[in-house]
Amino acid sequence: KLLPIINELGQLPGLDLQELSIFFILILVSSLRVGAFLIAAPFFGSRMVPLQIRIVFSFCLGFWILDVAAFPDVSELLGVKLIPIVFQEIIIGVSAGMLVSIAFAAVGLAGEKIAATSGLAFASQVDPTGAGQSPVISSFFTLFMIVIFFSLNGHLVVFSLIHDSFEAIPIGKFDDYARLPVMGLAAGELMLHTSALLMLPLVSIMLLINVSIGFITKSAPQLNLFSFGFPMTLLGAFFILYFSVDALAFGFQDLTKAILKLLGNLLLGEPNGG
């Protein structure tokens, strides 16, 4: 049941000072899960989104969640029992964000292997979604995945799942910690499986190109690896990526749906996220 103070949200300017501290605690507790998710999730947790915006956004979503969340008794919120409740909410939010980040890493891993095969591994730049450097193809795949994710309204589905999770997992009632490593392993399996499916056709074509270059350089020794093989490998990689954009878009779409199903299984206990 919701606390009586929630029923007084319509008279927010008339809250008593004694109830104001409880109201702030409710806002804090309701925004912890979504705030932890915003810190650990891809794009939202990257350097592209300033920390101040994430904090304000989490509190705004806390107001949205305030009416649906079932809070414990006031005595628990004002006592020592508030500490495990805070840790539980942070663990749920960070686990959800890390699950999405692990699955998102599939496109970056596929891009690294494609770059290593095509000779583009030396072309690295600062990854806008992280703190390190990555090959250009990995950065391109990551940005392409973010565009596909937002174009499919994946962010709206994610926030809807977090909103519904407060009914499936009430505040302070989470005890199924064994589900977290299981879903983490499932996200790792999805990352490796999807990255292999994305890179295998392109790497196979690059292998055939390299074998052809080997026959040509063997037949004509003056066409050595650096004067002929390296430029042909780069041109072949660019042509393959150009004609593979549609197939990659469909692959990223399937990855987005799989991510939402995993997240629904973690937060709601059943596959969701259609």
Side-chain angles (χ1 to χ4, degrees), residues 33 81-96 99 169-185 265-267 269:
R33 187 180 302 185
K81 293 183 179 180
L82 179 62
I83 298 177
I85 294 176
V86 170
F87 278 105
Q88 284 182 3
E89 292 299 304
I90 293 176
I91 288 173
I92 296 173
V94 171
S95 299
L99 186 145
I169 308 175
I171 296 176
K173 302 296 183 182
F174 182 72
D175 55 358
D176 190 11
Y177 292 99
R179 190 195 312 176
L180 302 181
V182 172
M183 298 309 303
L185 293 176
N265 195 5
L266 174 66
L267 297 176

Side-chain angles (χ1 to χ4, degrees), residues 7-255:
N7 299 327
E8 301 294 333
L9 289 179
Q11 294 81 22
L12 182 59
L15 283 176
D16 296 333
L17 291 179
Q18 293 83 358
E19 297 176 344
L20 193 59
S21 59
I22 302 177
F23 181 77
F24 284 145
I25 293 176
L26 297 181
I27 290 293
L28 175 63
V29 174
S30 62
S31 60
L32 282 176
R33 187 180 302 185
V34 63
F37 173 81
L38 293 178
I39 292 176
F43 179 75
F44 298 105
S46 65
R47 293 185 175 183
M48 294 186 292
V49 182
L51 180 61
Q52 295 84 351
I53 294 180
R54 278 178 276 172
I55 293 175
V56 173
F57 191 42
S58 63
F59 277 106
C60 293
L61 293 177
F63 274 101
W64 175 50
I65 295 169
L66 198 61
D67 193 32
V68 70
F71 293 91
D73 191 73
V74 180
S75 60
E76 297 183 8
L77 296 177
L78 298 179
V80 184
K81 293 183 179 180
L82 179 62
I83 298 177
I85 294 176
V86 170
F87 278 105
Q88 284 182 3
E89 292 299 304
I90 293 176
I91 288 173
I92 296 173
V94 171
S95 299
M98 290 300 297
L99 186 145
V100 179
S101 297
I102 292 172
F104 253 77
V107 295
L109 180 59
E112 289 183 2
K113 299 307 178 184
I114 294 173
T117 306
S118 59
L120 288 172
F122 67 91
S124 300
Q125 66 177 10
V126 177
D127 189 357
T129 60
Q133 290 187 347
S134 62
V136 176
I137 296 180
S138 296
S139 300
F140 172 75
F141 278 11
T142 302
L143 294 176
F144 193 17
M145 178 63 190
I146 292 175
V147 172
I148 295 294
F149 186 80
F150 279 92
S151 64
L152 296 175
N153 293 327
H155 58 297
L156 300 180
V157 178
V158 166
F159 290 128
S160 176
L161 291 174
I162 295 177
H163 179 271
D164 296 338
S165 69
F166 282 90
E167 296 182 357
I169 308 175
I171 296 176
K173 302 296 183 182
F174 182 72
D175 55 358
D176 190 11
Y177 292 99
R179 190 195 312 176
L180 302 181
V182 172
M183 298 309 303
L185 293 176
E189 179 185 2
L190 176 64
M191 177 190 68
L192 297 176
H193 177 75
T194 305
S195 62
L197 292 179
L198 291 175
M199 71 180 180
L200 189 59
L202 285 78
V203 171
S204 300
I205 297 176
M206 292 304 304
L207 175 62
L208 296 178
I209 293 176
N210 290 329
V211 171
S212 302
I213 293 174
F215 280 112
I216 295 174
T217 54
K218 186 66 174 179
S219 303
Q222 63 273 19
L223 299 176
N224 56 52
L225 179 63
F226 293 99
S227 64
F228 176 75
F230 190 65
M232 292 302 297
T233 303
L234 293 180
L235 290 176
F238 287 133
F239 275 105
I240 294 170
L241 290 174
Y242 176 77
F243 289 106
S244 302
V245 171
D246 292 340
L248 290 174
F250 285 110
F252 293 169
Q253 178 181 355
D254 295 337
L255 177 59

